[in-house]
Amino acid sequence: MKKIIAGTSSPMLSKSLMEITGIPIADVSIKKFPDGECYVRINEEIEHAIIIENTYPDEKIIELFLLQDAARRMAGKIDVVIPYYGYGRQDKIFEGGEAISAEKMAKLIEQDAERIVLVNPHKKHISRFFSIPVDIIDATPILAEYFKGKVDIVISPDAGAEHMAKKAAEIMGCEYDYLEKTRISGNEVIMKPKRMELNGRNVLIIDDIISTGGTMREAIKQIKAQGANKIHVACIHGLFIGNADEKILQAGADEIVTTDTIESAYSKVSIAPLIAPLI
Ligand code: R5P
């Protein structure tokens, strides 16, 4: 029988998937040994396992590998749904001597899987690191649906997310624009000043990831300085490292919205309806 195996990164999403698809969640024990090592046991027979687990933070990666191994010992088919593909940002060699983390992760995961589902991986070419079939889901349209009627213009904080702003604006029937960001370090970004017609307008800033919140903070500063009215902030994957959410709210955001690829208080839009047809 087909069953969902809910990784500890995604309990709410797994429940939503069960409710939509009728595929039951398997009885699985996931514990920690006193030394911190992970233990998993699938407590029932499964023929087709659908594992839902992020590859972030690191401990979820080990949990995923163990769940895959346990499933492999009983199930004929394993689908792995990775709502947030951690390690996806190191998708090429930026400086000699580096590892390509996104590729290494793919090689390890595909050892015990027949199929992979990814949600907005940082770059689409990540799917080519797998030698098994990969479905890519784009959650931009459901984020856009959430903001329909609330926003006059969509802005991406960098050129890399311009395609998201464009797609969201098409769905909402409004304008879009993008800012130009330069990353100085993991924690620091600068944004090139850009004149936009924002006076009194309601703005949505959209990106794929919020990590430290530095990118959003700089974007908000610039947008606020140009007289914007309400500033909504949205992303697919809300990592919220440190006090990223406070940083964003203090900079002047009226609302933060993310999907449930990483579950938090800001996960106001579920990707379950997008994953359901694929499982
Ligand atoms: C970078 O290319 C991503 O699209 C995000 O802009 C970035 O990960 C955001 O990071 P932070 O919140 O730390 O500025």
Side-chain angles (χ1 to χ4, degrees), residues 11-32:
M12 299 309 294
L13 175 60
S14 299
K15 189 165 172 275
S16 305
L17 282 168
M18 178 178 73
E19 283 162 7
I20 297 175
T21 62
I23 302 170
I25 293 180
D27 178 14
V28 173
S29 307
I30 303 176
K31 297 183 207 160
K32 282 276 176 70

Side-chain angles (χ1 to χ4, degrees), residues 4-241:
I4 291 170
I5 295 185
T8 56
S9 67
S10 306
M12 299 309 294
L13 175 60
S14 299
K15 189 165 172 275
S16 305
L17 282 168
M18 178 178 73
E19 283 162 7
I20 297 175
T21 62
I23 302 170
I25 293 180
D27 178 14
V28 173
S29 307
I30 303 176
K31 297 183 207 160
K32 282 276 176 70
F33 287 109
D35 61 1
E37 288 183 359
C38 180
Y39 166 89
V40 310
R41 178 166 191 262
I42 301 172
N43 301 311
E44 56 182 294
E45 283 305 310
I46 298 180
E47 286 156 21
H48 180 172
I50 298 156
I51 304 176
I52 321 286
E53 183 80 287
N54 287 339
T55 53
Y56 171 87
D58 284 2
E59 61 173 17
K60 305 299 177 200
I61 300 170
I62 300 294
E63 191 182 298
L64 170 60
F65 291 159
L66 298 187
L67 287 171
Q68 286 180 273
D69 188 70
R72 177 56 88 212
R73 292 167 197 282
M74 61 168 79
K77 191 165 183 241
I78 302 173
D79 295 351
V80 178
V81 177
I82 309 173
Y84 174 60
Y85 189 68
Y87 284 96
R89 281 179 284 182
Q90 182 76 24
D91 61 344
K92 63 179 182 185
I93 303 271
F94 295 89
E95 274 185 73
E98 292 176 343
I100 305 181
S101 328
E103 182 175 34
K104 186 63 198 168
M105 203 59 71
K107 297 292 166 236
L108 293 169
I109 294 165
E110 72 181 14
Q111 287 176 18
D112 285 310
E114 272 63 54
R115 187 167 160 246
I116 305 290
V117 179
L118 301 177
V119 184
N120 291 84
H122 189 55
K123 294 274 164 56
K124 273 195 176 154
H125 73 256
I126 285 170
S127 65
R128 296 202 294 271
F129 292 147
F130 291 89
S131 56
I132 57 173
V134 178
D135 284 296
I136 293 188
I137 288 174
D138 180 9
T140 310
I142 49 166
L143 274 178
E145 289 295 336
Y146 177 92
F147 287 102
K148 241 183 186 170
K150 286 171 134 182
V151 162
D152 304 307
I153 180 167
V154 188
I155 298 175
S156 70
D158 59 31
E162 185 194 355
H163 66 282
M164 291 182 72
K166 183 170 187 273
K167 188 179 264 190
E170 273 164 16
I171 292 165
M172 289 189 264
C174 66
E175 285 174 44
Y176 76 96
D177 208 333
Y178 69 97
L179 290 163
E180 284 174 57
K181 171 181 93 178
T182 307
R183 184 164 285 287
I184 309 294
S185 69
N187 288 305
E188 222 186 325
V189 298
I190 48 169
M191 225 153 263
K192 197 169 154 191
K194 182 170 178 180
R195 208 54 241 146
M196 296 174 285
E197 290 303 317
L198 300 180
N199 204 16
R201 300 178 86 190
N202 297 322
V203 179
L204 168 63
I205 315 175
I206 197 165
D207 203 352
D208 61 340
I209 300 171
I210 293 175
S211 179
T212 65
T215 298
M216 284 297 186
R217 181 180 55 194
E218 293 310 306
I220 292 165
K221 273 191 205 163
Q222 195 171 141
I223 288 165
K224 209 174 155 57
Q226 297 191 44
N229 182 28
K230 290 251 182 280
I231 302 178
H232 305 272
V233 164
C235 74
I236 310 285
H237 311 294
L239 294 168
F240 298 114
I241 305 305

